[in-house]
């Protein structure tokens, strides 16, 4: 194997985006990439009474879903055996107003910002990036449109570094079909008494093996170190499988969380995906997300339970149109309005 081949494989696995090479010489390469996404959610709006209270069940998704994403990847050779690497990714939400940046606005978000080194033994990076379990959670985070999926496991953004988070130190390596990731998130808060999932320290590890016949199996374990007195540490275990031969895609993940959503609040999560890509540019994808919450002194409840049915047509490698419908299986409640109505999304997407 040529030197730094493992680094190249690890980077392509981590980024999984189209990129345009804008600069390259004997030691340095810079790639730029991005996405323009114009989507719209359709569903039942909230109905309010004279007091402003919600009176009927409604759709969880409604309205504009439009954003622009920009990213840059760079790597440079330090010596024959070592490379420096970095990535930055920004997302700017547009939605219903051209005033995208204002006081108290969260429309502009830094998704990734990390740097590190890599060699045949793998990569070591630090900054805002995915924690160790993130690549397993990605196996079922394959909705054709933006905004569906990636909810039931608990592996969401800024949640004890099980996905994208800040101040994460990570090692990632590929060895003869095995991928091994470990990560540690440093405490980002300015006080010891906090329950903020964004700032609490966390550590995790994940391992997966890909067989020659396109089947991958993996598992991960992550611990969030809550530092408020009397609160238990957040623990999450993932078990995942996927099959991908470029035409057929199938994936299934299971999560077991102990005190993960909150102290004394456990959960089990299931996510599944099944899709097929035709040679004429048509792609189909179905998702299933379900989360069951167990809380002391209360009955178990389904907090998430839905299917999605999606289709897309790729005009070329850059441009596609998408339609996706969500069937919401959550039950109505006798004393409160619930976000349990179906919704769907239409979108146009351009990648570069």
């Amino acid at each position: 194997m040529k030197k730094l081949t493992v680094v190249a494989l690890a980077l392509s696995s981590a980024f999984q985006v189209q990129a345009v090479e804008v600069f390259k010489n004997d030691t340095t390469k810079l790639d730029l990439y991005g996405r323009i996404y114009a989507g719209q959610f359709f569903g039942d709006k909230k109905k309010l009474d004279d007091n402003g209270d919600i009176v009927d069940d409604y759709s969880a998704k409604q309205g504009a879903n439009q954003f622009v994403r920009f990213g840059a990847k760079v790597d440079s050779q330090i010596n024959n055996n070592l490379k420096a690497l970095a990535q930055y990714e920004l997302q700017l939400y547009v939605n219903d107003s051209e005033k995208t940046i204002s006081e108290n606005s969260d429309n502009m978000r830094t998704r990734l910002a990390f740097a590190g080194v890599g060699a045949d033994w793998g990569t070591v990076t630090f900054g805002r990036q995915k924690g160790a379990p993130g690549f397993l959670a990605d196996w079922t985070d394959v909705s054709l449109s933006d905004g569906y999926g990636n909810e039931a496991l608990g592996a969401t953004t800024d949640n004890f570094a099980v996905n994208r988070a800040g101040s994460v130190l990570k090692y990632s390596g590929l060895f003869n079909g095995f991928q091994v990731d470990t990560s540690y998130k440093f405490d980002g808060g300015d006080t010891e008494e906090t329950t903020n999932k964004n700032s609490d320290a966390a550590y995790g590890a994940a391992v997966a093996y890909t067989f020659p016949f396109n089947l991958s199996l993996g598992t991960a374990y992550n611990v969030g170190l809550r530092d408020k007195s009397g609160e238990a540490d957040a623990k999450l275990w993932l078990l995942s499988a996927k099959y991908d031969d470029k035409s057929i895609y199938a994936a299934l993940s299971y999560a077991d969380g102990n005190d993960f959503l909150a102290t004394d609040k456990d959960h089990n999560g299931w996510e599944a995906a099944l899709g097929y890509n035709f040679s004429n540019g048509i792609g189909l994808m179905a998702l299933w997300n379900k989360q069951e919450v167990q809380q002391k002194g209360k009955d178990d409840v389904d907090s998430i339970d839905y299917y999605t049915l999606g289709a897309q047509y790729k005009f070329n490698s850059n441009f596609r149109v998408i339609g996706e419908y969500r069937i919401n299986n959550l039950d109505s409640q006798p004393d409160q309005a619930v976000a349990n109505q179906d919704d769907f999304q239409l979108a146009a997407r351009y990648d570069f």
Side-chain angles (χ1 to χ4, degrees):
M1 180 180 289
K2 293 182 179 180
K3 293 179 179 180
L4 300 176
T5 299
V6 171
V7 178
L9 291 172
L11 290 177
S12 63
S13 173
F15 299 145
Q16 290 198 2
V17 291
Q18 291 184 325
V20 177
E21 186 177 278
V22 296
F23 176 80
K24 183 177 182 180
N25 60 21
D26 292 340
T27 60
T28 303
K29 182 175 70 172
L30 172 64
D31 294 338
L32 299 180
Y33 64 91
R35 176 175 300 173
I36 299 172
Y37 187 92
Q40 179 77 18
F41 288 110
F42 299 88
D44 295 334
K45 288 186 177 182
K46 298 176 182 178
K47 295 182 180 179
L48 308 179
D49 60 16
D50 294 337
N51 297 321
D53 297 324
I54 305 173
V55 295
D56 287 322
D57 293 344
Y58 57 94
S59 300
K61 304 284 188 178
Q62 177 69 31
N65 182 29
Q66 298 152 23
F67 60 84
V68 180
R69 182 182 300 172
F70 296 104
K73 301 182 297 180
V74 62
D75 66 75
S76 60
Q77 195 165 350
I78 298 173
N79 55 45
N80 289 337
N81 300 308
L82 192 65
K83 273 192 175 184
L85 56 96
Q87 183 177 9
Y88 176 77
E89 188 173 293
L90 174 73
Q91 187 153 301
L92 182 64
Y93 285 89
V94 181
N95 292 339
D96 288 329
S97 172
E98 67 177 21
K99 189 178 181 181
T100 56
I101 303 175
S102 60
E103 186 178 358
N104 300 322
S105 172
D106 64 351
N107 287 343
M108 187 168 67
R109 303 178 186 180
T110 299
R111 289 167 53 90
L112 300 169
F114 64 86
V117 295
D120 284 348
W121 41 257
T123 61
V124 176
T125 50
F126 179 73
R128 180 166 181 81
Q129 59 185 322
K130 291 189 176 185
F135 80 91
L136 289 182
D138 286 347
W139 290 2
T140 51
D141 186 16
V142 290
S143 172
L144 297 183
S145 64
D146 175 80
Y148 292 136
N150 190 34
E151 295 181 276
L153 301 181
T156 53
T157 302
D158 292 318
N159 193 1
F160 298 119
V162 290
N163 210 303
R164 292 193 308 274
S167 301
V168 173
L169 177 65
K170 184 171 76 170
Y171 165 79
S172 182
L174 294 172
F175 308 99
N176 298 320
F178 283 96
Q179 179 171 348
V180 179
D181 283 19
T182 61
S183 61
Y184 184 86
K185 182 191 180 307
F186 292 91
D187 193 326
D190 58 0
T191 174
E192 293 183 359
E193 297 298 316
T194 178
T195 59
N196 190 344
K197 298 175 183 179
N198 298 3
S199 63
D200 284 346
Y203 62 88
V207 61
Y209 181 75
T210 300
F211 295 90
F213 46 89
N214 303 314
L215 175 66
S216 301
L217 301 176
T219 187
Y221 186 70
N222 200 85
V223 178
L225 304 175
R226 288 194 174 97
D227 55 16
K228 188 174 182 179
S229 177
E231 292 206 329
D233 289 343
K235 301 178 179 67
L236 184 70
W237 173 63
L238 297 180
L239 184 63
S240 301
K242 75 169 180 176
Y243 176 84
D244 184 8
D245 70 355
K246 306 307 179 184
S247 294
I248 299 172
Y249 186 90
L252 176 66
S253 290
Y254 169 77
D256 183 11
N258 295 309
D259 301 295
F260 188 79
L261 303 178
T263 297
D264 296 327
K265 194 173 184 179
D266 301 336
H267 79 279
N268 299 110
W270 299 265
E271 293 183 6
L274 180 62
Y276 189 84
N277 290 314
F278 296 89
S279 59
N280 60 2
I282 295 176
L284 304 175
M285 181 66 71
L287 302 181
W288 174 53
N289 273 229
K290 183 172 183 176
Q291 184 184 87
E292 182 184 77
V293 175
Q294 304 96 33
Q295 197 166 1
K296 289 183 178 180
K298 297 182 179 180
D299 294 334
D300 295 351
V301 297
D302 291 339
S303 54
I304 298 167
D305 188 1
Y306 66 79
Y307 300 91
T308 67
L309 302 173
Q312 68 178 7
Y313 179 72
K314 290 184 177 181
F315 290 85
N316 55 30
S317 61
N318 301 103
F319 180 67
R320 70 189 70 181
V321 292
I322 305 163
E324 196 153 24
Y325 188 90
R326 174 163 66 167
I327 302 169
N328 200 327
N329 294 322
L330 290 179
D331 295 330
S332 296
Q333 301 295 323
D335 56 348
Q336 63 178 335
V338 179
N340 63 359
Q341 299 299 293
D342 296 350
D343 45 57
F344 67 96
Q345 183 177 184
L346 299 177
R349 169 178 149 183
Y350 189 90
D351 296 296
F352 58 91

